[in-house]
Amino acid sequence: MLSREIYGTLTPKQREYADIVHTSSQNLLKISSEMLELSGLDARIQPLHPTSVDVDMVGQHVQQMLAPISEQKSQEIRLTVEPGSRLWTLDRDVVRHSLYHLLFSIIQLSKEGGTIRVHSAERDSTLNISIRMTHPWLGDGISNRVATLHKSLGNTKTEAAMLSRLLARATGRSDTPAASPSQNFQPQSEFLQSRETLSLLLSRHLIERHGGTLTLLEDAESTYRFLITLPFLGTAPAA
């Protein structure tokens, strides 16, 4: 109401403060919504709910959710879908959340500028989502920071315990059992506490719960890209 000057004209300094309050409140609302989603994560992904999913529409939704973050980093997300059918039987929430958290991690760990290209295609009864990045002066490929984090975490049995502890910390739960010595997997301390680590772990966890995989591929030019593979589920219930 202040920014729109409903009650009168603002001075430049007043407008600046009003804009700061508005932007900060929007960011706080977004963080609160994400924490609520994290707190109910297990309830949404168990069991899986097969439905006809328009991957292009899901991607556009994720793109809109990440727009404030990508704009701050002067990055662009471009979505493409292989010609043909865009409807596949999947769990919509798993696709949306896994894509959101993976892209969030890529955006935050990449330098400013560049375009994140997300391409979806059907391959052997699976949905393949390829994610790569192009940068006007850094060249092609996912940044080394993202690749290093992915490799450091690895596909180990301790990921579930780490994810549980990070989720408990993020949502304020205190009922998480103490970790055993074998669960003290700390790849790099600077990554363990970060939101980027949590997002990458969540994405991988969701993809694997769907029976899929998250793979970091190294191309011939020593550049990296992610590949999400999600198997199609059983017949979706009639609308």
Side-chain angles (χ1 to χ4, degrees):
M1 291 170 65
L2 289 173
S3 296
R4 293 171 61 187
E5 299 184 336
I6 292 177
Y7 296 111
T9 303
L10 301 178
T11 67
K13 183 59 67 175
Q14 289 172 332
R15 172 171 290 281
E16 178 186 353
Y17 288 154
D19 289 342
I20 290 173
V21 171
H22 178 70
T23 301
S24 299
S25 64
Q26 292 298 311
N27 290 337
L28 182 60
L29 179 62
K30 181 176 180 298
I31 292 171
S32 300
S33 298
E34 289 183 356
M35 291 186 69
L36 288 174
E37 288 189 351
L38 289 176
S39 66
L41 183 64
D42 290 338
R44 279 197 303 275
I45 65 173
Q46 188 176 4
L48 297 174
H49 298 286
T51 187
S52 294
V53 177
D54 186 328
V55 175
D56 188 43
M57 290 186 63
V58 171
Q60 291 180 34
H61 185 198
V62 171
Q63 184 182 40
Q64 292 172 2
M65 293 172 64
L66 290 170
I69 302 173
S70 61
E71 288 172 1
Q72 288 179 359
K73 299 290 292 282
S74 299
Q75 296 173 355
E76 181 184 2
I77 300 174
R78 290 188 181 177
L79 308 168
T80 55
V81 180
E82 186 178 62
S85 176
R86 298 189 309 181
L87 295 175
W88 293 291
T89 305
L90 303 158
D91 185 303
R92 181 181 288 107
D93 283 345
V94 169
V95 177
R96 179 165 60 92
H97 286 286
S98 60
L99 188 58
Y100 172 89
H101 287 292
L102 179 57
L103 291 178
F104 175 91
S105 185
I106 293 173
I107 291 171
Q108 294 289 59
L109 290 171
S110 300
K111 294 184 180 296
E112 291 191 357
T115 301
I116 301 174
R117 302 180 184 276
V118 183
H119 180 72
S120 302
E122 179 179 348
R123 296 288 184 274
D124 300 324
S125 298
T126 64
L127 172 64
N128 283 14
I129 304 177
S130 176
I131 302 173
R132 62 188 181 92
M133 192 164 190
T134 59
H135 200 281
W137 61 83
L138 295 178
D140 293 346
I142 298 294
S143 76
N144 288 331
R145 293 183 67 196
V146 182
T148 299
L149 174 56
H150 181 81
K151 292 176 180 179
S152 297
L153 292 174
N155 188 11
T156 71
K157 294 181 180 179
T158 61
E159 282 191 8
M162 185 189 296
L163 176 61
S164 178
R165 292 198 299 273
L166 287 169
L167 275 172
R169 188 175 301 142
T171 58
R173 296 203 315 266
S174 59
D175 57 344
T176 304
S180 66
S182 63
Q183 294 173 336
N184 292 329
F185 176 68
Q186 298 183 355
Q188 292 189 21
S189 59
E190 65 269 24
F191 286 144
L192 185 58
Q193 304 292 335
S194 71
R195 169 67 190 282
E196 292 80 7
T197 301
L198 177 58
S199 288
L200 185 55
L201 281 172
L202 277 172
S203 180
R204 180 184 294 170
H205 175 69
L206 287 163
I207 292 167
E208 290 177 353
R209 288 299 300 270
H210 199 286
T213 58
L214 174 63
T215 309
L216 182 68
L217 301 177
E218 184 174 4
D219 296 329
E221 297 81 9
S222 296
T223 58
Y224 295 102
R225 62 185 174 92
F226 276 112
L227 178 64
I228 299 173
T229 60
L230 293 173
F232 299 151
L233 302 177
T235 305

